[in-house]
Amino acid sequence: MTNNDTRQAARMADKIAQLDSICARARIMPVITIAREEDILPLADALAAGGLTVLEITLRSAHGLTAIRRLREQRPELCVGAGTVLDRPMLAAAEQAGAQFIVTPGSTAELLQAGLESAVPMLPGTSSASDIMLGYGLGYRRFKLFPAEVCGGTAALKALGGPFGGVRFCPTGGINPDNLQGYMALPNVMCVGGSWMFDSEWVNNGDWARIQQASAEALQLLD
């Protein structure tokens, strides 16, 4: 192993440790798409008041990067990551905005390489064993399973645990209070992502108390 290989392995080990710490803190990670700029702070505050302090802000809307910057500046106690990162420019923009972790819906060779070069830890998206192997060959050991329920849910994760014993997942897509406990009971699941605790109607109506309550109730299912 060359010195460069040793340094890269050490950097990846550090990123894996960071992701483990983030996911252990999260347990449930809200996956948030901001429709209105004025919702950024009250929504984050409601989720945090309910106990959800690790937030994935997707870049699916024009307000995603603004939300990351504002939360990093005004809510430094929260852990804020960028989701729906699709390519190098989006990764660079998320880093510049202050994202503390990166989540992608899928994996490409270019994006996986960009993740290796980035100082920010990344959860690459996967939906198959082949996707996992693409990242595994580069040193990745932590992945997002998406869309989890469509990909086979807990049965798929149990099956993947055989050939990929050292790999752990954050499943997202179709997670809800009815199946949450089944996912979190699996040894290769470190946290889950979802949005059921902040229904869009509640956000539109500014029903922050209801979002706080739903967030707290979601965490209570894991106690």
Side-chain angles (χ1 to χ4, degrees):
M1 180 178 287
T2 67
N3 289 338
N4 185 57
D5 291 337
T6 300
R7 285 193 296 270
Q8 182 168 307
R11 287 185 65 188
M12 182 58 81
D14 180 62
K15 290 178 182 179
I16 290 171
Q18 290 180 56
L19 289 170
D20 285 346
S21 177
I22 290 168
C23 290
R25 172 181 170 180
R27 296 201 290 169
I28 301 171
M29 188 184 299
V31 181
I32 304 166
T33 300
I34 298 292
R36 302 180 304 195
E37 190 172 337
E38 60 265 31
D39 293 333
I40 294 170
L41 293 180
L43 175 55
D45 289 343
L47 293 166
L52 302 179
T53 60
V54 178
L55 312 179
E56 177 189 333
I57 307 295
T58 77
L59 303 189
R60 300 178 192 176
S61 81
H63 305 297
L65 293 173
T66 298
I68 293 169
R69 282 192 293 267
R70 187 166 302 171
L71 291 170
R72 294 287 287 124
E73 292 167 359
Q74 299 187 34
R75 299 293 187 271
E77 69 278 10
L78 301 180
C79 182
V80 182
T84 321
V85 173
L86 305 178
D87 54 29
R88 277 183 179 271
M90 292 179 76
L91 174 56
E95 285 184 284
Q96 190 172 15
Q100 293 165 281
F101 61 95
I102 302 294
V103 185
T104 75
S107 297
T108 65
E110 180 186 25
L111 192 51
L112 289 170
Q113 184 59 41
L116 292 181
E117 298 164 6
S118 171
V120 181
M122 186 169 84
L123 273 177
T126 176
S127 61
S128 69
S130 295
D131 287 346
I132 298 169
M133 290 178 69
L134 184 65
Y136 194 96
L138 294 173
Y140 289 92
R141 298 295 184 270
R142 303 293 182 262
F143 296 87
K144 167 183 175 174
L145 181 70
F146 176 81
E149 282 289 283
V150 174
C151 294
T154 55
L157 286 162
K158 290 175 183 177
L160 290 169
F164 301 108
V167 170
R168 299 185 74 200
F169 298 90
C170 171
T172 303
I175 314 296
N176 57 58
D178 294 328
N179 58 25
L180 170 64
Q181 292 171 315
Y183 277 97
M184 288 298 291
L186 299 177
N188 59 347
V189 169
M190 50 188 179
C191 69
V192 302
S195 57
W196 75 88
M197 70 292 296
F198 56 100
D199 186 275
S200 59
E201 182 179 346
W202 305 345
V203 176
N204 290 337
N205 294 336
D207 196 348
W208 311 122
R210 190 168 185 179
I211 291 171
Q212 176 182 340
Q213 179 182 355
S215 300
E217 290 172 350
L219 285 174
Q220 287 169 5
L221 291 172
L222 303 180
D223 292 337

